[in-house]
Amino acid sequence: MSKKLTFSISDTINAFITTIPEIEYTDGNLSGTTVAIKDNISTKGIETTCASKILRGYIPPYDAHVVSLLKSAGAAIVGKTNMDEFGMGTTTENSAFGPTLNPCDNNRVPGGSSGGSAAAIAAGYCDMALGSDTGGSIRCPAAFCGIVGLKPSYGRVSRYGLIAYANSLEQIGPMAKDVTGVSRLFSVIAGHDKRDSTSVDRPYTHTPDPSIKGLRIGLPSEFFGEGVDPKVADTVKQAISTLEKAGAEAVPCSMPSMSHALAAYYVICTSEASSNLARFDGIRYGPGGDLRKSWHEEFSDRRQERFGKEVRRRIILGTFSLAAGYFGRYYQKAQTARQMVRDDFTRLFKEVDLVAGPTMPSIAFKLKEKSDPLQMYLSDILTVPANLAGVPAISVPCGKVDGMPVGLQLIGKHFEDEKVIDAAFAYEQEAA
Amino acid sequence: MVNSEDVRKIAKLADIGVDDGEIEEFTSQCSEILTYFEMLDTLPQGKGVDRGLINIFREDEVTDSLSQEEALKNAKETENGYFKAPRVM
């Protein structure tokens, strides 16, 4: 039976690019639950911009698989959330629609690139949201805004209808105020979709279980070392103690591949981006162009005008990494480093059930604080290993530093998303 | 390390327009980032990548696709059911 919901908010933090004032929804597991969708996920009939001028006015003629699933489950889709343009960033400042503000402190960023989704939940505008995570883009804003965000195992959620940035790394995932909400949303979006050839038949039907007696949690020294704010590291160590009180065992360990993981990640994601973003020529969709010019002149001018600086920088870096003469030096070596990260996780998961550490090395940055691109990239160091290996990882709030939320990151073995969710739930219950 | 000519050439290859004013900024930022990437130089070349990849095939069957009208809906310039594009030659 079709029902109606009115969505009316005063969006003082710029969490949404588009809102839907009147929503029709049906019965189902998520009937009437308000869900926001990151603006890089296609929604039939609703403008989808990737927070970019180059897609302004684009109305997808089809729904992403996850959106079809949400509609079938009766979710009320309330709008499209702000993000770093094409998912490129760690702050949601790289948006053609202006930055989103962190609801916990409006002078700070909400994290990125799914900053609008996290902020919308933290501000109480909606119950749940979808984000996408290429190098931490769900977990980072979850940590900075004090909510829960899961990057599922690669393949567990269809990417059909997700506007591609770096296909081999990115996953759509659930975000909510608590682990139960994330689990409910994940149960709707996980499962096989034949339209995504990397999709696997692993539906999620689990109910979070807080009994973690005997669970072995590895703490790589690299997650608590140089570059990590000692106050953040201490807060996360206290959270680990809480898990120990609940019956888990903390095991010191090491992840040597971390030294190369970030460079490998940025070579791979910029390379894939340079290829994926070649499709944006303003001809088939977007604001259109000047057809009196020649192809390359028009294409080049429009992309300069309508792509933000971070997007153009990554396309240049990716084109360079893939160029003849440099391919072996950058891209192939990055694949070697990626395999080393996978090997490290395989070795660790023979000894432990989960790997834990901070989600982000610091609390949320102040707006415009990170103006140097490399310094910004370095803040992704703790989240990118899970994307390189395709393993599941969650961020759950675990306390505050200087009044701002800190996230505990729990990383699991491929397809053991249930175990990651259980441990996050156990922490949440024990800390409550 | 890259110089301004490299950045100009790469930007042209990628059809990303750059102003003279931007060249210096992109050159210095890309140089810094590529210098950071050089840490990969210490790794062995061609270590086997094990992704457990398999081919995904489907039957070669005719299925529904977007209609011509839907496919053209977002284009600003069309003519006789085609996308209208700038000249290539």
Side-chain angles (χ1 to χ4, degrees):
Chain A
M1 200 179 104
S2 182
K3 299 167 194 174
K4 275 195 178 165
L5 185 144
T6 304
F7 184 67
S8 170
I9 53 159
S10 171
D11 183 6
T12 56
I13 54 170
N14 201 27
F16 284 93
I17 292 174
T18 307
T19 52
I20 322 288
E22 290 268 329
I23 307 134
E24 280 195 26
Y25 65 93
T26 59
D27 291 331
N29 290 341
L30 290 180
S31 185
T33 305
T34 52
V35 181
I37 313 281
K38 188 175 179 179
D39 208 33
N40 60 351
I41 298 173
S42 301
T43 41
K44 187 176 181 176
I46 303 171
E47 187 177 4
T48 298
T49 68
C50 283
S52 182
K53 284 183 198 165
I54 210 157
L55 273 176
R56 200 168 255 180
Y58 170 62
I59 313 276
Y62 61 93
D63 275 327
H65 185 60
V66 289
V67 173
S68 304
L69 293 171
L70 281 174
K71 286 181 176 173
S72 301
I77 293 171
V78 295
K80 306 298 293 290
T81 52
N82 203 4
M83 56 183 281
D84 285 303
E85 187 177 1
F86 285 98
M88 299 180 187
T90 313
T91 62
T92 312
E93 289 171 296
N94 302 328
S95 163
F97 297 86
T100 297
L101 310 180
N102 191 318
C104 308
D105 175 350
N106 286 180
N107 295 311
R108 292 180 186 270
V109 302
S113 64
S114 312
S117 291
I121 295 165
Y125 297 159
C126 59
D127 300 317
M128 301 172 177
L130 288 185
S132 66
D133 192 312
T134 309
S137 288
I138 286 174
R139 290 161 286 157
C140 162
F144 281 2
C145 292
I147 64 150
V148 183
L150 170 74
K151 183 203 88 70
S153 294
Y154 189 79
R156 210 146 174 194
V157 176
S158 168
R159 285 180 294 105
Y160 176 81
L162 172 68
I163 297 175
Y165 151 34
N167 316 49
S168 80
L169 300 158
E170 61 202 0
Q171 270 290 276
I172 293 173
M175 306 170 83
K177 283 190 190 77
D178 54 27
V179 177
T180 306
V182 159
S183 178
R184 280 183 68 208
L185 185 52
F186 189 38
S187 70
V188 169
I189 61 170
H192 181 243
D193 172 21
K194 64 180 179 185
R195 295 171 298 185
D196 172 359
S197 59
T198 63
S199 167
V200 294
D201 191 14
R202 294 263 188 165
Y204 173 84
T205 55
H206 184 66
T207 303
D209 177 359
S211 34
I212 54 164
K213 199 165 174 6
L215 189 83
R216 287 170 64 82
I217 302 176
L219 305 179
S221 50
E222 293 82 357
F223 276 67
F224 296 89
E226 196 189 337
V228 180
D229 179 339
K231 287 192 275 188
V232 168
D234 284 347
T235 306
V236 171
K237 281 177 186 164
Q238 281 171 27
I240 303 293
S241 307
T242 304
L243 285 168
E244 285 182 293
K245 278 181 208 145
E249 184 188 350
V251 182
C253 61
S254 177
M255 210 176 152
S257 61
M258 285 284 285
S259 57
H260 292 92
L262 194 76
Y265 167 76
Y266 273 99
V267 168
I268 292 167
C269 77
T270 55
S271 296
E272 292 187 21
S274 71
S275 166
N276 274 322
L277 271 62
R279 75 190 62 167
F280 297 102
D281 55 11
I283 300 302
R284 287 153 298 158
Y285 32 74
D290 182 349
L291 302 185
R292 291 166 302 183
K293 291 184 182 171
S294 70
W295 175 269
H296 285 289
E297 190 189 355
E298 166 58 18
F299 197 15
S300 192
D301 287 352
R302 290 293 83 79
R303 283 156 63 86
Q304 178 178 10
E305 180 190 307
R306 294 170 186 165
F307 277 144
K309 273 214 170 139
E310 184 59 34
V311 172
R312 291 162 66 217
R313 188 158 39 234
R314 291 197 195 196
I315 291 173
I316 290 171
L317 283 166
T319 306
F320 188 82
S321 299
L322 292 178
Y326 293 103
F327 180 79
R329 185 168 181 193
Y330 295 108
Y331 189 79
Q332 280 188 336
K333 292 279 178 81
Q335 294 295 352
T336 298
R338 183 176 195 168
Q339 186 60 41
M340 288 164 66
V341 172
R342 295 169 69 97
D343 291 346
D344 258 357
F345 275 122
T346 303
R347 175 181 56 80
L348 286 172
F349 288 132
K350 283 180 183 157
E351 305 292 324
V352 298
D353 298 293
L354 298 173
V355 167
T359 307
M360 295 300 290
S362 70
I363 58 167
F365 324 127
K366 293 212 164 127
L367 287 154
K368 297 183 182 166
E369 183 183 330
K370 298 265 180 188
S371 53
D372 175 55
L374 182 59
Q375 289 308 310
M376 179 75 81
Y377 296 176
L378 290 170
S379 62
D380 295 340
I381 182 72
L382 304 177
T383 48
V384 299
N387 300 79
L388 287 167
V391 295
I394 200 167
S395 179
V396 59
C398 70
K400 290 191 172 178
V401 164
D402 299 335
M404 292 303 293
V406 171
L408 163 67
Q409 182 177 209
L410 296 159
I411 305 171
K413 198 174 171 181
H414 207 190
F415 298 135
E416 290 192 352
D417 305 61
E418 288 82 354
K419 204 177 267 185
V420 167
I421 287 170
D422 283 348
F425 187 57
Y427 173 76
E428 199 179 70
Q429 298 295 302
E430 198 69 24
Chain B
M1 286 289 285
V2 285
N3 59 36
S4 55
E5 274 318 297
D6 294 329
V7 171
R8 247 182 245 282
K9 192 176 159 195
I10 292 287
K12 196 175 172 196
L13 266 178
D15 280 322
I16 289 286
V18 280
D19 289 337
D20 286 345
E22 291 174 325
I23 283 285
E24 199 181 325
E25 182 188 356
F26 276 136
T27 304
S28 104
Q29 289 171 341
C30 289
S31 281
E32 194 187 9
I33 295 162
L34 289 165
T35 302
Y36 179 75
F37 287 176
E38 280 170 12
M39 70 164 65
L40 296 170
D41 282 347
T42 58
L43 297 178
Q45 185 70 276
K47 180 176 156 59
V49 176
D50 171 23
R51 298 254 192 83
L53 297 177
I54 50 163
N55 284 325
I56 307 286
F57 294 113
R58 64 167 175 79
E59 292 304 312
D60 186 16
E61 290 169 347
V62 177
T63 57
D64 289 339
S65 64
L66 291 179
S67 65
Q68 195 167 5
E69 192 187 334
E70 286 172 316
L72 291 170
K73 204 175 76 177
N74 280 283
K76 287 287 175 283
E77 299 271 359
T78 61
E79 191 173 306
N80 300 328
Y82 292 98
F83 295 109
K84 210 168 165 184
R87 62 194 164 83
V88 176
M89 302 288 282

